[in-house]
Amino acid sequence: MAAATEQMAAAGSCNQELFNPIISMGWQYSLILVISHILQILLRPLGQASPIVQILAGFLMGPSGFSRIKAVEEFFIQSYNSGYYEFMALIFRTIIMFLIGLETDFPYLMRNIRPASIIACGSSLGCTVFASAVTFLVFQETASHGSSFIMALMIIITLANAASPIVVRVAADLKFGTSETGKLAISSSLIADAYSVFLLFILSEFKSTSIAKWIFFFFLYFLIVGVVIVINMYLANWLNRRNRNKKYLGNTEIFILVAILYIGAMALEQLGFSSIIASFLIGSMFPRGGKAARTLLIKLTYPIHNFIFPIYFGNHGFRANITKLKNLRNFMVFSILILSSIGGKIVGTLAACFHLKIPYREGVLLSFMMNLKGHVDILALTIGLANDLVSSQNFYDVMIATIIVNTLIWGPIVAFMVRRESDIIGYRQIYFESHNPETELQILACVHSPRPVATMLGLVAASRGPREVPITPYLMHLVELPGKKKTNLMYNQREDDELSDEDDYGGNDVVEINDAMDMFTSETGLLVQQIKAVSPFSRMHADVCNTAEDIRASLVVLPFHKHQRIDGKLENGKQGIRTTNQKVLRHAPCSVAILIDRGLTAGCLNPSGSDSLQHIAILFFGGPDDREALGFSKRLGMDHHVNLTIIRFLPLSSRGQISGVNIAHKTDDVLMAIPNDEVEKETDSAILADFHSRYVATGQVGYVEKVVENGADTASALRDMAEMYSLFIVGKDGRGHSILTTGMSDWEECPELGKVGDFLASPEFDISGSVLVVQQYRPSKNDDDDDDDK
């Protein structure tokens, strides 16, 4: 009996050791998720980013909070739990960096590798100097034993590291990740991570003094990463062809792609390397066009953002124990490390920004963003503790507390600075009439169905101008969310008894749009990012406007509510599309264009990159909208597949005005002394004169003047050129009530297109070309409408 009891006790002990870590880890993760979501609800109105809230949730759960209770401490903090936590941290870290690589604008990183590297090197070098200066003091005050060089490496990694996952999420949550400052901070943090990972390898392989062995290991590192990237390229392309008629890849195929990632990551970990940068490189080099990348983004984004990030960041906060700082020496070391970290970041980053001529306030924000910690530094301390590289538990406790408290301090400060510096990093509207066509352009093209996709993509391809000019295009699929109707079905069932979710909305249109996008990307090499919005027509305009603001769009292109029939006539579509267009025109935070698509077969823009020449006409009557259309056309004129012609309509009394404009005399004092109509005329002439000297005189763009007497003459002139061009671009309102358009609006059907645009879209005007109607951003009008809606 006693023997049986001893066996049961032994079995119970084994079961406890087997299951208790898993159970306690599951409970810890569950409570961190619950607490982080509660704190998110409470702190989001205060503008706090989610990583800071998630770290705080773990901090409250850990030895600094609830785990000070004896029963909670015994359940969560067990000596044999650490292996489980470190393994899960590796799993989370790998997939997080892969997703960051998949989402990163890698072409931007390559274009801006120099400024990003200078900022990363400046901040890392500054922290390296500060860390080297305080190492001896920390070594003495924490009563450490072992190599002071190893401790110096740990402190350097801790101070120099800029936690790229936290930087990415903070920039996204505070809505400046698409700004120049945000993208530069993300790029710099990734490079700083690479520096820390390199030091981490030295730390983990310090006992190996063979240079040949180090060279061999680095060769294996790049070999494994390269092999995984090549396998992904071939496998993704094969899976795209295999699932040609499907919306997305299957779960088994996604599992295979993720398994390849983890096999490569585990191989690197076995060699002594961290897989952090390797996972990022594998994600960033994954083929972007096609169903494989599209499915990975959809499948990974939700669980990582809602489950893995809170657990990963929360577990970091859980490890901090500020009760160890009650000791005066520990608190002194903690304070020195906090001051050294921010000192090194500010000095190094501001010096780099001064060299790059980045404004001071942006430099301060960048230095604070680079001071967010909780990634490679945590891993370095874990390796040091596991391998007993520095025999002082006191040192590790102080260092982890420094990392977590530092981020909890500077995270809210970054949020405050972003709100305060909104005039610098906030969304700034771009007016094409004064926009340099050689700077980056963000364009948001919207579609409700596959019909206008080809022409939209053709417009995107033509608007990128020269190949070296950057453009960031987005295609937004607007899907109507049907209204409620009486039914006995469950909320997640359709009438065909199949379960449904948001991915199912859009039907077969999604497949056609995806195929068109994939073909466009393969033929032009231009990656267009896809967005899908599912909402009722009553709120669809808000989705468009919010997305335009989030991505900092320079132009929103909307499809006309009519579509072309087989006989060439335009047929009315859903009234909700027209209502959405009208609301976007009123509320958009940037310029808006409406595309009347008459089909690719009718001679619209060809996105395939062929040598066919497309003839495009800019109809210029005067006014801010026409100037905006003229400014946008600068990029079109730089495309060698486009033959652009400016057609200026003039009344009889203004013939030959362009040759007599003197731009130098147009000062603010003169403009204030003349009537508004004269101001517009002066501005039109000045803009045209500048355009003429830059593009017309050099032969890039054609210029034609049409002298007309009234609207009837204008209509006749437009009919004469109906078959000459594949695309007409015109401003919406022109110069208001003008003799050039008198009588053209007597039978106006679509006032949202303006007088000329409505005429070009009317059944009376039989043309084969498409029409693009442009409206310049109107801040005062948008603000008034917002107030009215409220």
Side-chain angles (χ1 to χ4, degrees):
M1 185 71 178
T5 303
E6 290 178 1
Q7 289 178 357
M8 291 177 63
S13 177
C14 290
N15 289 336
Q16 183 180 12
E17 290 187 4
L18 178 63
F19 292 108
N20 247 9
I22 299 175
I23 294 173
S24 63
M25 184 174 63
W27 273 104
Q28 177 189 325
Y29 288 170
S30 300
L31 289 175
I32 287 176
L33 282 172
V34 171
I35 295 174
S36 67
H37 281 87
I38 292 174
L39 291 177
Q40 194 77 28
I41 295 172
L42 297 176
L43 298 180
R44 176 58 68 87
L46 301 178
Q48 296 307 312
S50 58
I52 309 304
V53 176
Q54 290 153 5
I55 291 173
L56 179 60
F59 183 78
L60 294 177
M61 277 287 301
S64 304
F66 298 137
S67 291
R68 297 182 67 179
I69 303 171
K70 190 65 175 177
V72 177
E73 179 184 7
E74 291 177 353
F75 184 74
F76 285 131
I77 304 177
Q78 301 173 14
S79 59
Y80 42 80
N81 270 13
S82 59
Y84 292 89
Y85 287 124
E86 294 310 320
F87 177 75
M88 293 306 298
L90 170 61
I91 297 297
F92 293 159
R93 198 163 52 235
T94 300
I95 198 67
I96 284 172
M97 293 307 297
F98 176 75
L99 179 64
I100 290 176
L102 205 58
E103 293 178 330
T104 297
D105 187 355
F106 200 70
Y108 174 88
L109 178 60
M110 290 295 98
R111 290 196 306 270
N112 296 273
I113 191 68
R114 176 181 173 272
S117 299
I118 290 175
I119 292 173
C121 291
S123 66
S124 299
L125 182 61
C127 289
T128 300
V129 173
F130 275 76
S132 302
V134 303
T135 296
F136 179 76
L137 177 63
V138 174
F139 193 87
Q140 294 295 325
E141 294 300 324
T142 56
S144 301
H145 301 282
S147 170
S148 58
F149 176 73
I150 290 295
M151 177 176 280
L153 275 181
M154 289 187 185
I155 298 176
I156 290 172
I157 293 172
T158 301
L159 301 190
N161 174 56
S164 55
I166 297 180
V167 173
V168 169
R169 292 312 308 154
V170 167
D173 287 355
L174 299 180
K175 297 188 180 301
F176 74 102
T178 55
S179 68
E180 192 67 24
T181 304
K183 290 191 286 189
L184 195 56
I186 292 170
S187 302
S188 301
S189 68
L190 289 167
I191 297 173
D193 271 356
Y195 171 73
S196 298
V197 167
F198 174 74
L199 295 181
L200 186 64
F201 173 76
I202 297 177
L203 180 69
S204 59
E205 297 294 328
F206 177 70
K207 296 178 181 179
S208 174
T209 56
S210 173
I211 301 298
K213 185 177 180 181
W214 281 27
I215 295 174
F216 178 69
F217 275 7
F218 274 107
F219 172 76
L220 285 181
Y221 177 90
F222 289 109
L223 178 63
I224 292 172
V225 174
V227 167
V228 174
I229 290 174
V230 172
I231 291 175
N232 280 339
M233 290 176 61
Y234 282 98
L235 184 59
N237 292 330
W238 179 76
L239 291 173
N240 291 337
R241 293 192 301 269
R242 183 173 182 266
N243 297 273
R244 192 185 307 275
N245 298 320
K246 296 180 181 179
K247 293 181 185 178
Y248 307 110
L249 301 188
N251 291 332
T252 303
E253 295 162 330
I254 293 299
F255 175 80
I256 292 173
L257 291 172
V258 175
I260 292 173
L261 166 68
Y262 277 111
I263 290 172
M266 296 302 173
L268 292 174
E269 295 285 341
Q270 288 297 317
L271 289 174
F273 289 100
S274 169
S275 59
I276 290 175
I277 298 302
S279 300
F280 169 77
L281 290 174
I282 292 170
S284 62
M285 299 304 292
F286 194 90
R288 299 299 180 91
K291 295 178 176 62
R294 193 179 300 118
T295 308
L296 279 171
L297 280 172
I298 293 173
K299 296 289 186 181
L300 296 180
T301 299
Y302 182 82
I304 289 178
H305 286 186
N306 291 277
F307 298 102
I308 294 179
F309 269 135
I311 293 173
Y312 181 70
F313 294 141
N315 190 49
H316 290 347
F318 184 88
R319 299 175 62 172
N321 187 0
I322 60 172
T323 60
K324 301 292 185 180
L325 302 180
K326 291 180 180 179
N327 183 297
L328 183 60
R329 287 191 170 186
N330 289 350
F331 184 77
M332 182 184 69
V333 172
F334 165 81
S335 303
I336 290 173
L337 290 173
I338 290 285
L339 294 175
S340 298
S341 176
I342 187 59
K345 292 294 185 183
I346 288 180
V347 171
T349 305
L350 287 182
C353 290
F354 178 78
H355 173 73
L356 296 171
K357 297 182 173 55
I358 294 175
Y360 171 76
R361 290 191 292 174
E362 291 185 38
V364 172
L365 178 59
L366 282 171
S367 64
F368 289 173
M369 289 287 289
M370 296 292 288
N371 196 40
L372 298 176
K373 303 185 184 303
H375 191 39
V376 183
D377 40 15
I378 295 285
L379 180 59
L381 294 175
T382 301
I383 292 174
L385 181 61
N387 297 330
D388 198 23
L389 297 179
V390 176
S391 56
S392 173
Q393 184 64 41
N394 210 25
F395 169 71
Y396 294 109
D397 291 338
V398 173
M399 292 298 290
I400 291 177
T402 300
I403 292 169
I404 300 307
V405 174
N406 175 86
T407 302
L408 291 177
I409 291 173
W410 295 105
I413 292 177
V414 167
F416 170 76
M417 285 198 64
V418 169
R419 290 195 299 271
R420 195 189 70 175
E421 306 295 343
S422 59
D423 57 326
I424 295 178
I425 63 174
Y427 181 38
R428 286 176 284 186
Q429 290 76 18
I430 293 176
Y431 294 96
F432 281 102
E433 66 176 81
S434 57
H435 184 247
N436 183 357
E438 296 185 357
T439 57
E440 186 172 4
L441 172 69
Q442 286 86 14
I443 182 169
L444 176 63
C446 302
V447 296
H448 296 268
S449 67
R451 286 191 189 96
V453 171
T455 306
M456 285 283 189
L457 295 177
L459 183 64
V460 166
S463 62
R464 65 175 170 177
R467 300 288 175 176
E468 65 273 7
V469 176
I471 179 173
T472 308
Y474 297 81
L475 185 77
M476 189 173 187
H477 184 196
L478 303 174
V479 183
E480 179 190 6
L481 179 65
K484 294 181 179 179
K485 56 184 179 180
K486 293 183 179 180
T487 177
N488 294 323
L489 297 176
M490 296 173 59
Y491 76 97
N492 62 337
Q493 282 188 314
R494 300 197 303 255
E495 292 182 357
D496 55 5
D497 293 331
E498 293 181 4
L499 297 181
S500 175
D501 59 20
E502 184 175 308
D503 288 339
D504 292 323
Y505 287 108
N508 292 327
D509 287 354
V510 175
V511 178
E512 295 184 44
I513 292 174
N514 290 347
D515 289 343
M517 295 278 291
D518 296 342
M519 184 179 299
F520 175 80
T521 300
S522 63
E523 292 179 346
T524 64
L526 182 61
L527 178 65
V528 181
Q529 301 187 46
Q530 287 182 260
I531 305 171
K532 185 164 78 169
V534 182
S535 61
F537 280 127
S538 60
R539 296 199 302 270
M540 194 172 284
H541 73 284
D543 289 336
V544 176
C545 296
N546 291 337
T547 302
E549 189 168 356
D550 289 343
I551 67 173
R552 286 171 160 75
S554 310
L555 178 69
V556 174
V557 184
L558 301 170
F560 193 42
H561 67 277
K562 295 183 180 181
H563 58 268
Q564 190 178 39
R565 300 185 313 204
I566 297 178
D567 60 2
K569 302 296 183 182
L570 292 179
E571 181 180 32
N572 279 318
K574 293 183 179 180
Q575 181 62 27
I577 299 177
R578 182 181 184 185
T579 304
T580 299
N581 290 350
Q582 293 170 340
K583 290 181 178 179
V584 172
L585 286 168
R586 292 198 301 268
H587 298 280
C590 60
S591 297
V592 182
I594 295 180
L595 176 66
I596 299 105
D597 177 27
R598 287 192 167 90
L600 258 170
T601 56
C604 275
L605 294 176
N606 186 359
S608 63
S610 66
D611 293 330
S612 60
L613 191 63
Q614 303 296 329
H615 298 273
I616 301 177
I618 309 295
L619 308 178
F620 191 89
F621 294 86
D625 290 346
D626 280 358
R627 293 196 297 270
E628 194 74 357
L630 183 67
F632 174 69
S633 70
K634 294 175 185 177
R635 302 181 71 97
L636 303 179
M638 299 169 78
D639 192 310
H640 64 277
H641 290 130
V642 172
N643 180 18
L644 183 66
T645 303
I646 309 300
I647 303 175
R648 186 185 188 187
F649 289 82
L650 293 169
L652 287 172
S653 58
S654 302
R655 188 168 192 172
Q657 186 178 15
I658 188 170
S659 59
V661 173
N662 182 5
I663 301 175
H665 87 281
K666 191 173 74 69
T667 63
D668 292 338
D669 294 335
V670 174
L671 288 177
M672 293 176 62
I674 55 180
N676 287 336
D677 188 54
E678 292 300 320
V679 170
E680 289 294 333
K681 290 181 180 178
E682 285 283 332
T683 306
D684 291 342
S685 297
I687 292 293
L688 272 173
D690 181 63
F691 189 92
H692 192 280
S693 62
R694 288 173 179 265
Y695 304 102
V696 178
T698 58
Q700 296 182 60
V701 178
Y703 178 82
V704 176
E705 288 186 356
K706 294 284 185 181
V707 180
V708 295
E709 189 173 355
N710 50 40
D713 285 355
T714 301
S716 177
L718 291 174
R719 289 191 180 95
D720 290 341
M721 65 182 74
E723 300 300 326
M724 297 171 60
Y725 302 97
S726 58
L727 178 68
F728 294 88
I729 303 178
V730 64
K732 177 192 169 190
D733 288 336
R735 202 186 291 152
H737 299 287
S738 170
I739 190 174
L740 301 175
T741 57
T742 301
M744 294 183 67
S745 61
D746 292 345
W747 297 277
E748 193 173 44
E749 182 182 359
C750 302
E752 66 269 20
L753 299 179
K755 296 178 182 178
V756 179
D758 182 66
F759 177 76
L760 295 175
S762 67
E764 301 177 17
F765 192 66
D766 186 17
I767 62 172
S768 59
S770 298
V771 180
L772 187 70
V773 180
V774 181
Q775 174 188 275
Q776 190 182 65
Y777 169 66
R778 293 175 171 82
S780 59
K781 184 174 181 179
N782 290 346
D783 295 340
D784 294 341
D785 288 339
D786 290 339
D787 295 337
D788 293 341
D789 290 346
K790 294 176 183 178

